[in-house]
């Protein structure tokens, strides 16, 4: 009985490992572009885009918000392309005032690479 349970346990472990690696490979092939930067002094930036047009760009660091309060500020944009081919994106700022999204459903893609 113990050998049967042990054999089933080994089978489950092998199945999980195979399933995990096959899914991670599929996800990696979908990423078209990925960049990550960290200056080690509190500022970072990253961006990625998948083959279906989904994207996200973000940078963050120590800066003053609109009221002059110094703190950690994150700026970014994320979006996707709908089935009709239109670009939809949301620009955002997150700081001491909270998350502040600004919808942008225009068909314009911005290349905003500000580093805070």
């Amino acid at each position: 009985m113990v050998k049967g349970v042990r054999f089933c346990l080994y089978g489950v472990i092998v199945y999980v490992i195979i399933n995990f690696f096959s899914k991670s490979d599929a996800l990696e092939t979908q990423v078209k572009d990925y960049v990550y930067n960290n200056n080690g002094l509190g500022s970072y930036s990253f961006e990625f885009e998948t083959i279906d047009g989904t994207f996200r760009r973000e940078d963050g660091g120590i800066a003053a918000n609109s009221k002059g309060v110094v703190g950690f500020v994150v700026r970014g944009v994320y979006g996707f392309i709908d089935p009709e081919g239109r670009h939809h994106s949301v620009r955002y700022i997150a700081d001491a005032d909270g998350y502040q999204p600004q919808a942008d459903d225009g068909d314009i893609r911005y290349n905003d690479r500000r580093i805070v």
Side-chain angles (χ1 to χ4, degrees), residues 8-99:
C8 288
L9 180 61
Y10 290 142
V12 168
I13 290 172
V14 168
Y15 174 78
V16 168
I17 290 171
I18 290 171
N19 199 20
F20 173 78
F21 284 113
S22 66
K23 286 183 180 178
S24 66
D25 290 343
L27 290 176
E28 286 178 15
T29 59
Q30 291 181 0
V31 175
K32 186 168 79 173
D33 184 31
Y34 177 76
V35 177
Y36 176 77
N37 297 303
N38 185 335
N39 72 358
L41 301 172
S43 294
Y44 73 93
S45 66
F46 74 87
E47 62 183 80
F48 72 84
E49 184 172 359
T50 61
I51 59 175
D52 67 357
T54 302
F55 69 96
R56 181 171 171 194
R57 286 186 292 277
E58 180 176 294
D59 59 61
I62 308 292
N65 66 3
S66 60
K67 298 176 183 173
V69 178
V70 175
F72 198 77
V73 178
V74 176
R75 294 182 185 97
V77 59
Y78 58 88
F80 67 97
I81 300 173
D82 68 15
E84 287 80 33
R86 293 183 306 242
H87 294 268
H88 300 276
S89 63
V90 176
R91 291 182 165 279
Y92 61 90
I93 296 175
D95 57 13
D97 296 330
Y99 177 72

